[in-house]
Amino acid sequence: MVQLLGELLEYVLAIDALTAELILELRHPILTNLMTSVTGLGSVAAGLAVVGLFYLAEWREEFFVTLIALSITGVIVAVLMTVVQRPFPTQPVCLTDGAGTPTTSFPSGHAAAVTAYAMVARNSDALPFRSVAALAAVVAVSRIYLGTHFLSDTVAGIAIGIASVIVAERVLARTDLDAVFRKLPQ
């Protein structure tokens, strides 16, 4: 079993290396500007803005699911980055050194966050799922394109985002959202 896991890990790392090489060959200044512009939508600051907008719009379910899901992803991503300590791909376009956050490659917190947005939009009457999902996909790809994450880091981030929303929805299914929302400052 250990040998099988080792072989699987080698396979994943080989795919990561090939993907990183391909990305280096595909980089173009116009595409780099686009990816650099969109990637921030997966940041902590963007997450706070999204949660705040949902609160102000009084989209109760979207607010609570997103708040809980982003909290879960934040903890999981920070712990995994600290434990795994995977170095970044070679020749990254931008890094977060000195920002006071973990600066390792595995997993992608940006991919986790934008996946959570897409998962929330899929059950929302207020949010356009297709648009949010498309934007989430572009942000996830931007992390690989910009060299801040390997393909497997981004896939892991996507899985974390999906799982965090599922957990948040299950927690909230047992909660009276209207009672909780009334307790919040208006």
Side-chain angles (χ1 to χ4, degrees):
M1 181 65 161
V2 172
Q3 181 181 354
L4 181 63
L5 288 175
E7 290 174 8
L8 178 62
L9 181 59
E10 283 182 35
Y11 182 73
V12 168
L13 295 176
I15 290 173
D16 281 346
L18 289 172
T19 305
E21 288 176 29
L22 176 65
I23 292 298
L24 287 174
E25 292 178 24
L26 294 176
R27 279 195 187 147
H28 185 276
I30 293 172
L31 190 53
T32 300
N33 283 336
L34 172 71
M35 294 297 189
T36 304
S37 297
V38 76
T39 201
L41 294 173
S43 70
V44 172
L48 292 172
V50 167
V51 169
L53 289 172
F54 289 176
Y55 175 75
L56 292 173
E58 296 185 0
W59 296 341
R60 289 176 174 90
E61 187 169 342
E62 291 87 346
F63 168 75
F64 284 115
V65 172
T66 305
L67 179 65
I68 293 169
L70 290 181
S71 298
I72 293 168
T73 63
V75 170
I76 292 171
V77 167
V79 167
L80 286 173
M81 282 185 166
T82 302
V83 170
V84 174
Q85 294 284 311
R86 185 179 193 190
F88 290 108
T90 58
Q91 300 181 27
V93 173
C94 58
L95 292 177
T96 57
D97 282 339
T101 58
T103 55
T104 60
S105 180
F106 183 85
S108 171
H110 285 67
V114 296
T115 300
Y117 303 152
M119 292 288 293
V120 168
R122 88 185 190 297
N123 288 332
S124 174
D125 294 331
L127 298 169
F129 170 70
R130 288 184 180 140
S131 298
V132 175
L135 192 55
V138 172
V139 172
V141 169
S142 78
R143 304 310 290 162
I144 301 164
Y145 178 88
L146 294 172
T148 52
H149 294 288
F150 289 99
L151 175 62
S152 63
D153 303 333
T154 302
V155 170
I158 291 167
I160 291 167
I162 291 169
S164 70
V165 171
I166 291 169
V167 169
E169 289 172 342
R170 288 190 178 163
V171 166
L172 291 174
R174 301 169 189 244
T175 306
D176 180 358
L177 292 182
D178 291 330
V180 174
F181 208 77
R182 281 192 301 272
K183 292 179 182 180
L184 294 174
Q186 297 297 324

